[in-house]
Amino acid sequence: MTTLASTIQAFFTDCLARQRRASPHTVAAYRDSIRLLLAFAARQTGKQPSRLEITDLDAPLVGAFLDHLENERGNSIRTRNARLAAIHALFSYAALRHLECAAVIQRVTAIPPKRFDRKLVTYFTEPETAALLAAPDTDTRTGRRDRALLTLAIQAGLRVSELTSLTRADIFLSTGAHVTCTGKGRKQRITPLTPATAKVLAAWLAEDPGNPDDPLFPSRTPMSRDAVERRLAKHAAAAAVAQPSLKGKKISPHVMRHTTAMRLLAAGIDTTVIALWLGHESVATTQIYIHADLAIKEKALARTAPLDVQAGRFQPPDALVAFLESL
């Protein structure tokens, strides 16, 4: 076994699994990135992946791999940067174990992420949200499940991974109704539920009593991100009949999360609270919603003085007030 092969195995089994306790999603993302890199390096060098050495994966080859992702695989810059982050993590781990390859490792870890244009976030307007929630056929069990899922997703702003991993025990519908989940970084958070959302969830839980550890939204197989995307796309297509604006809009589970943030922002909630609500690591992540909300900018514009107003200093309206101000 080469030093690269043993390092990769140790990186996944020791570093990610034992030391960092990375989530299955993180492990899968890193695995796919390294697998693509090894396949590309094998084609470039003519070696089998298990025969590759760390020195084979030098900065020019990694750079060519990143170009391959964009130009041949059609990956976005965000995806390219995510692959690079996985490579950086692997080589940073290798730097502690193989000092003899320090020069190669240093040049690879010095490859910077690529800058990209930040687009405005997509979200559902209130009429679109109402049409989407009314789309599932509540005469069927699947339709009632989907309506409960969409209602919770839009009100609580859960990530799709958090949504699909919920169990019946994660929903509390007594006084102070709320949902608990474990998000990125193994951080637990509690999100309050509105009376309307609690009513929908109560009806869904009462329909099919089960064990506390049973999935909140069951299906024939464990519900995946793809399954949620398919159900959302189906209901969005039905809702587009009443709201044609949905036809040209990007539809994904994350758009429901953006919708939650935009509704909170429109209600005047501070961005620090929204960051806590969504489980953001940094408040800076929440700033993207301010850029997307034109109403906030219009309010700021309305509060500015007209250009033809002459600037001046404040004059006390009364001599007694002037005396008091001078004290």
Side-chain angles (χ1 to χ4, degrees):
M1 181 178 293
T2 64
T3 55
L4 177 64
S6 61
T7 300
I8 291 176
Q9 290 186 2
F11 173 69
F12 280 96
T13 59
D14 181 61
C15 179
L16 291 183
R18 188 179 65 84
Q19 296 180 16
R20 294 174 54 177
R21 296 184 62 200
S23 70
H25 299 285
T26 300
V27 173
Y30 280 27
R31 175 204 63 201
D32 294 342
S33 298
I34 302 305
R35 186 168 57 186
L36 287 172
L37 174 62
L38 293 178
F40 178 82
R43 292 193 300 270
Q44 295 295 110
T45 62
K47 296 182 180 180
Q48 291 295 321
S50 59
R51 298 293 184 183
L52 290 169
E53 294 286 353
I54 294 178
T55 52
D56 292 323
L57 305 183
D58 55 11
L61 186 139
V62 173
F65 168 68
L66 297 174
D67 291 338
H68 162 74
L69 292 178
E70 285 191 75
N71 301 327
E72 298 182 34
R73 291 182 62 87
N75 291 157
S76 66
I77 297 179
R78 286 178 179 268
T79 301
R80 179 250 193 211
N81 289 344
R83 303 297 190 201
L84 178 60
I87 296 171
H88 279 173
L90 171 63
F91 274 71
S92 297
Y93 177 75
L96 303 175
R97 299 167 60 92
H98 301 289
L99 297 179
E100 70 279 5
C101 301
V104 173
I105 293 173
Q106 184 178 22
R107 284 192 288 269
V108 171
T109 55
I111 298 176
K114 196 171 186 178
R115 300 184 67 178
F116 55 90
D117 296 332
R118 295 184 180 273
K119 298 181 180 180
L120 295 177
V121 298
T122 302
Y123 62 96
F124 298 128
T125 63
E126 288 300 323
E128 291 170 347
T129 300
L132 181 62
L133 295 180
D137 182 7
T138 54
D139 290 334
T140 65
R141 184 175 184 275
T142 301
R144 293 189 291 273
R145 180 203 65 186
D146 290 353
R147 182 167 182 264
L149 185 149
L150 295 176
T151 301
L152 178 61
I154 291 176
Q155 192 257 289
L158 303 182
R159 298 179 179 89
V160 66
S161 58
E162 298 166 350
L163 197 64
T164 55
S165 62
L166 289 176
T167 65
R168 299 171 65 91
D170 293 325
I171 301 296
F172 298 85
L173 298 177
S174 57
T175 303
H178 63 273
V179 56
T180 63
C181 70
T182 302
K184 282 187 176 181
R186 300 184 181 276
K187 293 183 296 183
Q188 289 188 338
R189 72 178 189 275
I190 298 176
T191 305
L193 300 175
T194 64
T197 302
K199 182 178 179 181
V200 172
L201 290 174
W204 168 244
L205 290 173
E207 180 174 335
D208 186 19
N211 297 320
D213 294 334
D214 289 344
L216 178 61
F217 303 114
S219 61
R220 295 178 183 176
T221 58
M223 208 165 191
S224 64
R225 179 187 182 89
D226 291 341
V228 176
E229 288 181 346
R230 288 193 299 269
R231 303 306 299 174
L232 176 60
K234 175 183 177 181
H235 298 312
V241 176
Q243 289 294 324
S245 59
L246 285 168
K247 293 181 180 179
K249 184 164 286 188
K250 177 184 177 182
I251 305 296
S252 73
H254 213 68
V255 174
M256 296 191 289
R257 182 169 161 85
H258 291 329
T259 302
T260 305
M262 296 303 293
R263 296 174 92 185
L264 292 170
L265 193 63
I269 306 302
D270 189 80
T271 54
T272 55
V273 178
I274 298 176
L276 291 173
W277 189 291
L278 298 179
H280 285 164
E281 184 71 25
S282 170
V283 179
T285 308
T286 315
Q287 302 300 322
I288 60 173
Y289 301 111
I290 297 179
H291 294 296
D293 194 341
L294 183 60
I296 290 180
K297 298 175 183 177
E298 289 175 341
K299 291 178 181 178
L301 179 63
R303 297 171 70 177
T304 60
L307 296 178
D308 57 351
V309 174
Q310 296 294 328
R313 296 180 63 85
F314 173 75
Q315 298 294 330
D318 185 86
L320 178 59
V321 175
F323 165 75
L324 295 175
E325 292 290 344
S326 67
L327 295 179

